[in-house]
Amino acid sequence: MSAFFLTGTDTEIGKTFSACALLHAWRNQGFSSVAYKPVSAGAELIEGQWSNEDARRLQAASSPGFVLEEINPLCLRAAIAPHLAAAEEGRELALNDMLAGFHALQARAQRVLVEGVGGFRVPLGRDFDSADLAVALGLPVILVIGLRLGCLNHALLTTEAIQARGLRLAGWIGNTLNPAMNRLDANISTLHEHLRAPCLGILPHATDGEAGGVAQHLLPPA
């Protein structure tokens, strides 16, 4: 069994899209694979059940047999920072609960991909954030970089934060948000030069958001 913690340089940079592509790539290699999104913020009522769109996409990309509540046990309704959404619902997010959900999945799949929320340091409670979750899990980290203006600074700062906590950066994924980005290739070259971790792939811009079709652009970590 191998497991990884996936984070991003910001919100809305294709973290879930990249996670789904990784899951497809592992499954194409013959591994049973599942995503774990311990907490989500932003839900809609579907057939009497509140669920998060990203969590549903992760379930669809995972191997069969995992129910949505296992993949995303904490689903908050408002699309705001999780600690604020939890407070509005009178709930308190607990780190131990998040760890327990991971260990339950860990026993049932060969590859587990834990997706954080937003960027690397999003508050989850009064005294812990998503970086603390990554440390508690102790997993190698995969960084998704949204390729747009400002990505170099965000990538380098996030990498520093990951390494400052003693975590290993297992690799990074560049997600092409804007194919017309000025000097796209030069920005990618700069990332190769400055990030001391393997590039797992550069995902092309996908207008339909179909992650299965871009999985061949990734070389997932073992």
Side-chain angles (χ1 to χ4, degrees):
M1 190 284 304
S2 293
F4 300 87
F5 184 86
L6 184 137
T7 190
T9 49
D10 202 350
T11 191
E12 300 298 328
I13 49 86
K15 194 165 68 272
T16 297
F17 176 67
S18 301
C20 290
L22 274 172
L23 291 166
H24 282 290
W26 275 319
R27 292 179 63 189
N28 291 342
Q29 293 177 344
F31 296 109
S32 60
S33 306
V34 64
Y36 178 52
K37 190 172 181 66
V39 58
S40 65
E44 51 192 333
L45 191 61
I46 299 177
E47 297 180 353
Q49 180 183 17
W50 290 97
S51 65
N52 174 265
E53 180 183 5
D54 286 347
R56 295 194 301 270
R57 290 167 59 196
L58 291 169
Q59 182 190 28
S62 297
S63 296
F66 298 95
V67 299
L68 192 59
E69 290 78 7
E70 294 174 308
I71 289 172
N72 178 215
L74 298 169
C75 178
L76 303 169
R77 298 182 187 181
I80 54 178
H83 71 297
L84 298 178
E88 287 187 0
E89 296 182 25
R91 304 173 67 179
E92 186 170 346
L93 304 181
L95 180 59
N96 285 339
D97 292 341
M98 298 180 188
L99 297 178
F102 165 73
H103 291 304
L105 290 177
Q106 191 179 28
R108 297 173 53 201
Q110 295 168 298
R111 297 289 182 272
V112 182
L113 186 63
V114 182
E115 184 186 315
V117 56
F120 186 59
R121 293 213 56 196
V122 175
L124 298 176
R126 293 189 185 92
D127 57 358
F128 78 105
D129 60 20
S130 54
D132 295 314
L133 172 61
V135 170
L137 290 166
L139 302 175
V141 178
I142 297 172
L143 175 62
V144 178
I145 302 169
L147 298 176
R148 63 186 178 195
L149 186 63
C151 66
L152 301 179
N153 178 63
H154 290 165
L156 294 174
L157 285 175
T158 305
T159 299
E160 282 188 5
I162 291 167
Q163 295 173 338
R165 286 159 177 78
L167 297 171
R168 179 172 69 87
L169 184 60
W172 58 276
I173 297 170
N175 182 39
T176 307
L177 300 177
N178 177 15
M181 176 185 175
N182 195 16
R183 308 299 190 275
L184 174 61
D185 290 340
N187 277 268
I188 293 172
S189 295
T190 302
L191 291 169
H192 277 285
E193 180 181 353
H194 287 274
L195 295 180
R196 299 292 184 260
C199 175
L200 305 179
I202 304 296
L203 297 180
H205 182 66
T207 55
D208 60 1
E210 177 48 57
V214 301
Q216 72 270 19
H217 293 277
L218 293 178
L219 182 61

